[in-house]
Amino acid sequence: MKFLVLFAAVLLFAAFQAEAQIYGPYDGYGDYGDYGYYDPYGPYGPPPDYGEPVPQRQPRTERRGTIVIATRKHTLVYTTPQGEQLAYPIAVGRQGKRWYGTTHVTSKRKYPEWRPTASMRQKNPRLPMVVRPGPSNPLGTRAIYLADGLLRIHGTNDPSSIGTNASSGCFRMYREDVEELYEMVRPGTRVIVRR
């Protein structure tokens, strides 16, 4: 028991005698030449040649000559046969009117007629059987028809809808964008529609 009391007294004495070493701030980092000092908490990262490079994840690229539609981003990206990627803002289908998957372009038409489907006319009996080409045509000046025949990539008579979920399933584009895309794509062009 005396040994334990003596041991505790020695430890307590040693603890009171020990002094912590406290270092003040060091301002001499510039003493190392042009390299400078890398502060990991500062606003600048390490020098370009510092350590091993971190591999960056490459964006997924599609086969050349493919249209990819990202509905959440309201974007259509066409990868040309030469590998150039062109991105266009679009309007997509409203909730419950969206389709996802892979299809292809079947045909194209300049100044298309719009024929509302039977279900559209049932919901809105005031819709005409056919809307001829012109400023009131919802398909605009160009239409690119997809494999099922009902879905299209087309222009619009309502440019304010671009960037929204506004259509009955088709993909709307600004007039100048759809006219440019129309000239580039051919029947058979692969179309991928993603969420």
Side-chain angles (χ1 to χ4, degrees), residues 1-43:
M1 183 73 164
K2 288 182 184 180
F3 179 74
L4 285 177
V5 172
L6 182 61
F7 182 73
V10 169
L11 282 178
L12 189 61
F13 180 76
F16 282 116
Q17 291 298 319
E19 291 184 24
Q21 295 182 358
I22 300 173
Y23 296 99
Y26 179 67
D27 293 327
Y29 292 117
D31 297 342
Y32 296 103
D34 292 340
Y35 180 79
Y37 170 66
Y38 167 54
D39 177 7
Y41 303 105

Side-chain angles (χ1 to χ4, degrees), residues 118-177:
S119 63
M120 288 178 179
R121 293 185 64 244
Q122 186 177 13
K123 288 179 186 174
N124 185 356
R126 296 183 310 169
L127 286 175
M129 293 287 285
V130 177
V131 177
R132 303 280 178 213
S136 62
N137 188 316
L139 300 183
T141 61
R142 303 288 186 274
I144 301 167
Y145 293 82
L146 304 181
D148 65 358
L150 296 176
L151 288 181
R152 293 172 289 262
I153 299 168
H154 60 78
T156 182
N157 62 349
D158 182 13
S160 66
S161 68
I162 303 298
T164 67
N165 305 338
S167 75
S168 295
C170 291
F171 307 103
R172 299 178 186 173
M173 299 178 72
Y174 289 118
R175 176 181 177 170
E176 59 275 10
D177 292 345

